[in-house]
Amino acid sequence: MPDLIPLLVITAAAFVAGGINALAGGGSFLTLPALVFAGVPAVSANATGTAALLPGYLASAWSYRDLMRAPVGLSLLMVLILGTLGGAAGALLLLATPEQAFRGIVPWLLLFATLLFAFGPALQRRLAGRDRRTGGVGARIGILGVCAYGGYFNGGMGIVMLAMFRLLGVHDLRIANGLKNLLSAVLTLIAVLVYAAGGLISWVQILPMALAATLGGWAGARIGRVLPPRLLRNTIVTVGAVTTVLFFLDG
């Protein structure tokens, strides 16, 4: 069993991560550094944190099942296939990434994800005025690329997906959120299966984190009714910025 203090840290991080994922995303900003603090190597921490948050993604996808509409020119089946392939590709790439190399990449990934959270709303407003309804090769490559990113590193995935669906002509935010939740659940499930087969998941931490994340998601869905969205987003950006700086200093 983990020592008491690291156990408390990862459990608290998973609880809050589950809550903010239910509200806006960004849970990886907490689970990754918490697991690294607990002594889990960075590559394994990335995989373990993703696995712990999987139940929340599945629940979110189920809750949006009546709002899922594929972009024009694509079917939901094709979106699922692309999500599966992209998630598997990203997870396999993580398996092939040496620990030292990943620790060098993580600060830049965190910086990218933090900037997405900071400027995501402005980006989505700019994209909302465009009308690029296409299900061609470009759309398929875009979905594959975003899902590969999500399979490799979970941070900021939701913002990237929402921006992509806006580019594909999905301007109803509820439908875009439904598609985002579906893809997030599918690619995370596939990625976790790959991580498990590759021995990346630290199972000792999974159970308490998964339970805490599920409870956090339940609480977050209720807190979201009263919490100002701007306060939540600013908090996530602050946590992401601090985490990014700490990982740069550690490197």
Side-chain angles (χ1 to χ4, degrees):
M1 289 293 293
D3 293 336
L4 181 59
I5 292 179
L7 177 61
L8 291 174
V9 169
I10 63 173
T11 302
F15 178 81
V16 178
I20 64 176
N21 272 349
L23 294 165
S28 298
F29 286 136
L30 297 173
T31 55
L32 177 60
L35 283 162
V36 171
F37 168 80
V40 180
V43 172
S44 181
N46 183 52
T48 302
T50 300
L53 297 175
L54 175 59
Y57 287 124
L58 295 173
S60 296
W62 179 256
S63 68
Y64 273 82
R65 64 191 182 280
D66 59 330
L67 290 173
M68 291 176 186
R69 308 285 188 276
V72 173
L74 294 172
S75 65
L76 278 179
L77 177 59
M78 178 55 66
V79 171
L80 287 172
I81 290 172
L82 293 170
T84 299
L85 294 175
L92 289 170
L93 181 60
L94 182 66
L95 286 180
T97 304
E99 174 70 22
Q100 192 61 35
F102 185 75
R103 288 193 70 92
I105 295 170
V106 162
W108 297 101
L109 292 173
L110 286 170
L111 177 60
F112 174 66
T114 302
L115 291 174
L116 279 175
F117 265 96
F119 299 104
L123 174 63
Q124 289 171 30
R125 284 194 296 271
R126 290 177 64 89
L127 294 176
R130 301 184 182 184
D131 191 13
R132 296 180 56 187
R133 297 176 179 271
T134 173
V137 175
R140 288 167 168 79
I141 292 175
I143 294 174
L144 272 173
V146 168
C147 291
Y149 169 81
Y152 186 80
F153 184 72
N154 204 254
M157 177 177 64
I159 295 295
V160 178
M161 284 187 180
L162 287 175
M164 176 189 65
F165 286 128
R166 288 294 182 94
L167 277 173
L168 297 181
V170 183
H171 300 316
D172 186 322
L173 187 57
R174 298 172 304 162
I175 295 175
N177 260 321
L179 288 169
K180 179 205 73 174
N181 290 336
L182 176 64
L183 269 185
S184 296
V186 169
L187 75 88
T188 301
L189 176 60
I190 297 302
V192 167
L193 291 175
V194 174
Y195 296 157
L200 286 185
I201 296 176
S202 179
W203 294 104
V204 175
Q205 285 83 11
I206 282 290
L207 181 59
M209 291 186 73
L211 290 174
T214 302
L215 290 173
W218 177 83
R222 282 149 182 79
I223 293 172
R225 298 176 184 271
V226 296
L227 187 67
R230 177 170 293 185
L231 174 62
L232 174 66
R233 180 166 295 278
N234 288 343
T235 301
I236 294 172
V237 170
T238 301
V239 171
V242 171
T243 302
T244 300
V245 170
L246 291 176
F247 268 88
F248 269 116
L249 293 175
D250 185 57

